[in-house]
Amino acid sequence: MNKRILVSLLLAISLAACSSKPIKDTAPAVEDKSPSTSQTAPDTSKNDSASTSGMTDTQPAINPLKDPNNILSKRSIYFDYDKDEVKPEYRALVEAHAKYLAAHPDAKVFLQGNTDERGTREYNLSLGQRRAVAVKKVLNVLGVADKQIETVSFGEEKAKTNCSDDACWKDDRRVDIAYENE
Amino acid sequence: MIRAHENPLALRAGALSILVHIVLVAILLLSFNWKAVQPANVAQVELWDSLPTLQPVIEPTPLPPEPPKPEPVIKEEPKPEPPPEPKAEIEIKKKPPVEVKPKIEKPKPEEKPKPDPAVKAKEEEKKRQDQLKKLQQMLAEEDKNMQHEQQKKDAQASTQEHAAQSAAAAKGEVDKYIGLVSSKIRPYVNKQLCGSGKPELTYEISLLPTGEISGSPKLIKGSGITACDDAVDRAIRQANPLPKPSAEILGQVRDLILKFRPNDDN
Amino acid sequence: MIKFRSLLISLVLLMPFASHAALTVEIVGGAAQQIPIAIVPFAQPANQPSLGQQDSIATIVGADLRRSGLFRVLETRAAANQPHQLDEVKYQEWAALQAQALTIGNIESLPGNRLKVSFQLLDVLKQSSLGGLEYNITPAQLRNTAHRIADFIYQKLTGEMGVFATRIAYVTKTGTRYSLQVADADGYNPQTVVASGEPIISPTWSPDGTKLAYVSFEKKKPVIFVQSLVSGQRYVLANFKGNNSAPSWSPDGKRLAIVLTHSSNSQIFTINADGTGLQPLTHTSAIDTEPVWSPDAKWIYFTSDRGGSPQIYRISSAGGDAQRITFEGVYNVSPRISPDGKSLAYIRQEQGKFRVTIQDLASGQVQILSDSAKDESPSFAPNGRLIIYATSINGKGALAAVSADGRVKQRLSETGGDVREPAWSPAAN
């Protein structure tokens, strides 16, 4: 028994840490093959504090995306059960982000769809995706191009487990707006 | 084959051989008949003109009426005793000494009518001798003869009834035995190995008079699933020995065809 | 003359048969039973102290057979007769213990630190041998050899292929750590394939059992990897814009069906195993996901909500129109085809409970197999008899298995983290 754990540990460690091994276990590593067509945006948006933003010049460069007084720091849109319509109460939030993206053509957002834990993982991945697409469509209508948006889904992978009622589940039914290089 | 014109003795030899054959056939038929159907007849024939003696023969047997035969007393014992559960069977098999006791009790009521037929036979002989002496009473005697004949017919009718009842009784016994065999083997049939369809398979077995299976079960028609055929073979072996058949039906149940439908309900 | 005599002869000869016509006994039904089997501990070489009681071949074989639900493994240590060779077997004694089958064997030392393992399977009722095998192995292969012996016994007595020497892949979550592991079918010898701080889902075996395709979120989005279990090397199969998920190998191992989203809803594609040759298969604005190939490669079964609720459909692997397969209930997802292509397992949700369900594809007959509430990710054993799936026990993710007819249920225990996403390997070869 101990031997087994030890062996497993050793294997895990060897898999995890070594840079010489071809397998990496964490972090966005560069892989051998990447047929992906989406490219990472240039890094200029990384330091988009005061320099390129349209915010006031009187303050030191606070990233509006991170400013708790700024609606842009709010990133989550919540959904009703089995629904993927963006509710009116989140219009203002979406509009704010749409404006930001229009003003920063190099900025890119990931719309991350999520579901509560009920159901199977792959189907929930698709349901989360549907919500992300719903938010994207609103952004499109507000003038944001698809090249600044990537819709992805985590399905139920980030959901709270062992919920027993909707008070718990409702927080999981959301789309998160995540800016690239954050 | 011998041709007649070649050998003058051929005809005689042929006739003798035919005669022998007929004798053999006759013996065979006689033995068959006696075994299977109307053994009662043989015993009954002596009694048919003594009605009162017949009745006590019928009554004492609570089971299908089988008038006293020399040995069959033994067979009546297993019938009421073994319930159709294999467990009970096993218990009975394991305790043969216990069986002996009830046997002793049963022959007693049977033995009563037995002396009577012998006594009656002697009485009849006396009557006939008296008739020969009393020629003057011919009319009266003729009347008596007529009475006797009437009694003969009545007796014969009831004899035939008996024969029919015995045949039915014998068949009832056989059916009962078949039921015992089926219910003993069935619980051992591992139908989990017979797939999800409705397979059918057939084995043949031969029984010894003890109920033990002689040799190995023989697969006549397989189910198409080897594991199922094997499972049923094991079930038959586990059920061995089968209930001991009575001597009366042994001839009929000596060879059995076992047809299995393990996944069916009825 | 001659004819007459023959006739008489035949009459005479036939008489016995006429008087002894064999009666027919109908035996309808039976009992669902377990085969009682005795496994005598194998004779061991004196100089092998490492072969302890826990890991002895007889113990492993017995555990395998017992776990299948079809066998009752008898205790043999107390038996007076402890045979290791055929001529030492006292059948009567084993019959008295109610055994129907008996396994005897030997382990002998070979030069070069190798072992010779030999065994025989005996029919106690027929008092004959059903066969046996011999292996030349290293001590490290002892467990696997025991599983192969269990496979042999299982196959001889049930007629079905045994799966005791197969493996299971699954994902464990401990804290915030996710680990894709591969273990023996009995849960022993878990090996980590890949570990990450982000979720891993949907592992699936290549048909030759040497590779796993899986979905990893290590890039902050779902990406499909293919990893060799032999070399440990892996590559990205698909990282298109949007999601990349639900990989499923074609029966010949040359292509995979996958699910991409690009900028809209999940749709099914096929792609070469090297990541080239992407081709769309479905073309709807609904959700089409969870593709699986039929064993004859003609069909791809999948989940779709194009009809308003998630149901299972199938489409020709060459493309075309889809046909609906499930018609009962309002939520049927995660299709899996049995190895013989005749049955479909999936997850049905009814009144909030998610349960493993099986459907006969020819008749349409449906049977719910489990009675729990949070079943997911069903996976057929390569003999089609067992289905492993993820469920929740006492609030923690655990693995369970149920037989395709619902009669046998197993719980696979795992200490430590939350276990999910099981996938049964192909048959061992």
Side-chain angles (χ1 to χ4, degrees):
Chain A
M1 199 57 185
N2 283 333
K3 210 178 178 180
R4 233 174 261 127
I5 294 173
L6 193 61
V7 170
S8 302
L9 259 175
L10 282 173
L11 274 169
I13 291 170
S14 66
L15 285 168
C18 290
S19 55
S20 58
K21 289 260 172 162
I23 298 159
K24 309 275 190 308
D25 62 337
T26 52
V30 176
E31 299 304 326
D32 301 335
K33 243 179 164 288
S34 186
S36 155
T37 53
S38 75
Q39 297 305 318
T40 57
D43 281 344
T44 52
S45 58
K46 210 170 194 169
N47 303 319
D48 62 336
S49 40
S51 50
T52 54
S53 84
M55 300 307 288
T56 66
D57 293 327
T58 55
Q59 294 183 8
I62 298 177
N63 183 351
L65 294 172
K66 301 263 171 75
D67 182 356
N69 295 323
N70 193 316
I71 194 175
L72 286 174
S73 66
K74 294 202 177 11
R75 304 296 185 81
S76 299
I77 298 151
Y78 294 86
F79 291 79
D80 289 337
Y81 178 63
D82 210 25
K83 291 275 188 289
D84 52 358
E85 289 118 22
V86 179
K87 294 194 280 189
E89 66 211 70
Y90 298 102
R91 267 322 272 217
L93 173 62
V94 181
E95 280 174 6
H97 285 285
K99 270 196 196 138
Y100 182 91
L101 286 165
H104 298 83
D106 293 331
K108 185 179 165 186
V109 288
F110 289 93
L111 299 178
Q112 301 167 338
N114 293 277
T115 66
D116 63 44
E117 51 125 11
R118 291 174 291 178
T120 63
R121 290 178 197 275
E122 281 286 351
Y123 188 67
N124 279 342
L125 207 64
S126 300
L127 286 179
Q129 173 69 12
R130 210 159 63 181
R131 287 179 178 142
V133 170
V135 174
K136 178 190 86 88
K137 285 185 174 160
V138 176
L139 288 175
N140 290 150
V141 165
L142 294 170
V144 185
D146 268 356
K147 69 173 172 57
Q148 279 184 281
I149 304 169
E150 182 162 350
T151 50
V152 296
S153 172
F154 288 103
E156 65 175 84
E157 300 309 312
K158 290 189 172 173
K160 283 175 275 185
T161 53
N162 299 321
C163 277
S164 49
D165 59 13
D166 201 55
C168 178
W169 282 316
K170 66 179 172 54
D171 291 335
D172 295 320
R173 298 192 296 264
R174 71 181 188 279
V175 169
D176 292 330
I177 300 173
Y179 281 81
E180 196 176 37
N181 301 319
E182 266 189 326
Chain B
M1 292 293 272
I2 301 168
R3 287 192 225 180
H5 63 269
E6 280 182 11
N7 186 341
L9 287 172
L11 267 173
R12 243 182 262 171
L16 186 61
S17 122
I18 290 173
L19 186 66
V20 171
H21 278 91
I22 290 172
V23 168
L24 279 171
V25 169
I27 291 174
L28 213 57
L29 278 171
L30 272 177
S31 69
F32 171 52
N33 285 342
W34 181 83
K35 251 200 146 76
V37 193
Q38 299 165 3
N41 261 351
V42 179
Q44 285 287 44
V45 166
E46 295 176 302
L47 305 173
W48 47 255
D49 66 345
S50 317
L51 274 173
T53 55
L54 282 172
Q55 278 155 9
V57 172
I58 301 165
E59 283 169 356
T61 59
L63 307 161
E66 278 155 16
K69 300 168 231 172
E71 22 154 31
V73 185
I74 304 163
K75 76 145 165 56
E76 293 185 351
E77 191 281 317
K79 270 187 267 167
E81 294 243 349
E85 294 168 23
K87 280 186 188 169
E89 293 282 358
I90 294 167
E91 283 170 14
I92 290 167
K93 299 271 175 309
K94 283 179 187 168
K95 300 173 191 173
V98 178
E99 285 183 351
V100 176
K101 288 174 200 169
K103 269 190 228 172
I104 297 166
E105 291 167 69
K106 291 259 169 113
K108 283 174 193 169
E110 304 288 348
E111 279 168 12
K112 280 177 203 166
K114 269 190 198 167
D116 292 341
V119 171
K120 294 299 172 197
K122 284 178 190 169
E123 284 177 4
E124 296 211 6
E125 294 224 313
K126 278 185 188 169
K127 277 185 190 170
R128 283 174 194 140
Q129 284 171 1
D130 289 341
Q131 278 177 19
L132 287 171
K133 291 173 186 173
K134 295 170 187 175
L135 287 169
Q136 292 170 359
Q137 294 166 347
M138 268 189 71
L139 277 172
E141 298 301 334
E142 278 181 17
D143 284 340
K144 274 191 189 170
N145 283 341
M146 284 197 61
Q147 277 182 24
H148 280 306
E149 288 202 19
Q150 187 56 44
Q151 283 176 353
K152 245 198 242 180
K153 281 179 189 166
D154 291 345
Q156 216 172 16
S158 75
T159 299
Q160 281 170 350
E161 258 180 56
H162 266 294
Q165 281 171 344
S166 307
K171 178 166 192 311
E173 249 214 87
V174 168
D175 286 345
K176 202 165 176 180
Y177 183 75
I178 287 177
L180 289 175
V181 167
S182 173
S183 48
K184 183 157 193 213
I185 297 177
R186 187 191 311 110
Y188 292 110
V189 174
N190 189 352
K191 64 180 180 178
Q192 278 196 115
L193 303 178
C194 290
S196 51
K198 301 269 191 187
E200 293 181 14
L201 53 151
T202 307
Y203 273 91
E204 185 176 355
I205 56 172
S206 294
L207 296 182
L208 299 173
T210 54
E212 283 172 70
I213 297 173
S214 146
S216 293
K218 187 175 156 201
L219 183 64
I220 304 293
K221 176 179 161 278
S223 61
I225 304 169
T226 309
C228 186
D229 296 344
D230 289 347
V232 168
D233 176 292
R234 283 198 297 271
I236 297 169
R237 288 173 193 270
Q238 283 177 280
N240 193 24
L242 295 178
K244 180 169 179 250
S246 68
E248 188 204 25
I249 63 169
L250 174 62
Q252 295 177 67
V253 302
R254 192 186 293 272
D255 295 306
L256 291 177
I257 306 272
L258 307 175
K259 277 193 179 168
F260 293 84
R261 286 184 281 131
N263 286 340
D264 284 27
D265 299 319
N266 48 16
Chain C
M1 188 65 167
I2 296 165
K3 280 185 190 168
F4 189 43
R5 226 156 113 186
S6 325
L7 183 62
L8 268 180
I9 291 170
S10 29
L11 271 176
V12 172
L13 287 172
L14 279 171
M15 289 322 310
F17 292 100
S19 66
H20 289 296
L23 283 174
T24 299
V25 181
E26 300 248 354
I27 300 164
V28 180
Q33 297 172 341
Q34 300 174 319
I35 303 172
I37 184 168
I39 305 163
V40 180
F42 286 27
Q44 291 195 12
N47 59 340
Q48 289 283 345
S50 60
L51 298 176
Q53 187 61 37
Q54 201 61 27
D55 288 346
S56 78
I57 292 187
T59 307
I60 297 167
V61 172
D64 281 349
L65 294 175
R66 191 181 291 115
R67 217 173 51 245
S68 73
L70 297 182
F71 291 84
R72 185 159 59 89
V73 180
L74 305 172
E75 180 56 60
T76 59
R77 269 167 290 183
N81 182 224
Q82 294 280 331
H84 304 295
Q85 309 289 346
L86 194 54
D87 54 12
E88 294 168 3
V89 176
K90 296 192 178 144
Y91 287 107
Q92 308 281 23
E93 288 186 27
W94 293 104
L97 291 172
Q98 305 299 316
Q100 291 179 25
L102 177 68
T103 305
I104 61 175
N106 291 274
I107 307 172
E108 297 158 58
S109 290
L110 290 177
N113 194 29
R114 295 185 71 85
L115 299 169
K116 180 171 112 174
V117 177
S118 54
F119 77 96
Q120 279 203 72
L121 176 65
L122 310 171
D123 186 320
V124 172
L125 293 167
K126 283 187 192 162
Q127 303 195 356
S128 61
S129 170
L130 292 171
L133 289 175
E134 226 175 69
Y135 302 92
N136 181 328
I137 58 165
T138 64
Q141 293 172 303
L142 208 67
R143 276 201 84 90
N144 184 258
T145 304
H147 291 314
R148 286 175 190 272
I149 293 173
D151 278 342
F152 179 94
I153 295 169
Y154 185 89
Q155 200 276 327
K156 280 285 177 203
L157 292 174
T158 70
E160 274 181 16
M161 178 178 84
V163 291
F164 302 113
T166 54
R167 291 163 297 167
I168 297 176
Y170 54 90
V171 176
T172 61
K173 179 183 177 194
T174 313
T176 56
R177 202 90 186 130
Y178 298 83
S179 168
L180 172 60
Q181 308 205 329
V182 169
D184 295 346
D186 63 356
Y188 277 72
N189 287 337
Q191 312 280 318
T192 300
V193 173
V194 64
S196 164
E198 299 293 336
I200 301 167
I201 65 171
S202 304
T204 174
W205 292 81
S206 64
D208 64 4
T210 64
K211 297 188 279 280
L212 278 174
Y214 56 88
V215 178
S216 167
F217 286 78
E218 62 196 73
K219 294 177 188 291
K220 306 290 197 244
K221 55 175 280 193
V223 170
I224 302 174
F225 289 84
V226 171
Q227 182 165 340
S228 163
L229 295 174
V230 179
S231 68
Q233 298 223 339
R234 71 172 186 174
Y235 59 91
V236 170
L237 178 76
N239 185 5
F240 297 92
K241 181 173 180 180
N243 298 341
N244 306 266
S245 71
S248 168
W249 295 80
S250 64
D252 65 6
K254 293 184 178 163
R255 285 176 79 72
L256 288 95
I258 62 175
V259 173
L260 305 179
T261 57
H262 293 125
S263 296
S264 58
N265 283 332
S266 301
Q267 289 293 293
I268 299 170
F269 294 74
T270 57
I271 192 172
N272 291 330
D274 64 2
T276 63
L278 183 73
Q279 282 177 16
L281 188 69
T282 57
H283 305 86
T284 71
S285 54
I287 289 174
D288 296 323
T289 183
E290 300 189 296
V292 289
W293 294 73
S294 61
D296 62 5
K298 285 189 187 159
W299 304 99
I300 290 180
Y301 289 75
F302 62 99
T303 304
S304 175
D305 68 354
R306 58 183 66 188
S309 69
Q311 300 287 347
I312 295 169
Y313 294 72
R314 78 170 183 187
I315 188 172
S316 160
S317 51
D321 292 332
Q323 305 152 15
R324 184 164 161 179
I325 302 294
T326 55
F327 293 92
E328 291 180 23
V330 297
Y331 186 114
N332 295 301
V333 300
S334 299
R336 306 284 192 261
I337 298 279
S338 61
D340 66 3
K342 293 181 181 167
S343 305
L344 181 75
Y346 50 90
I347 300 293
R348 156 173 300 177
Q349 186 256 101
E350 220 160 330
Q351 292 162 358
K353 293 188 206 271
F354 297 85
R355 291 182 173 154
V356 178
T357 304
I358 195 163
Q359 177 166 331
D360 183 278
L361 285 170
S363 68
Q365 202 166 8
V366 171
Q367 184 187 354
I368 298 182
L369 293 180
S370 75
D371 50 14
S372 34
K374 282 185 163 187
D375 300 343
E376 290 182 16
S377 186
S379 176
F380 273 98
N383 66 358
R385 169 165 265 278
L386 279 174
I387 298 170
I388 195 173
Y389 59 97
T391 187
S392 177
I393 297 172
N394 295 330
K396 205 172 82 162
L399 299 184
V402 64
S403 59
D405 59 13
R407 281 206 198 118
V408 178
K409 293 192 162 78
Q410 302 167 5
R411 193 164 289 179
L412 308 168
S413 58
E414 139 99 20
T415 54
D418 197 276
V419 189
R420 69 276 290 272
E421 302 287 279
W424 211 310
S425 76
N429 44 7

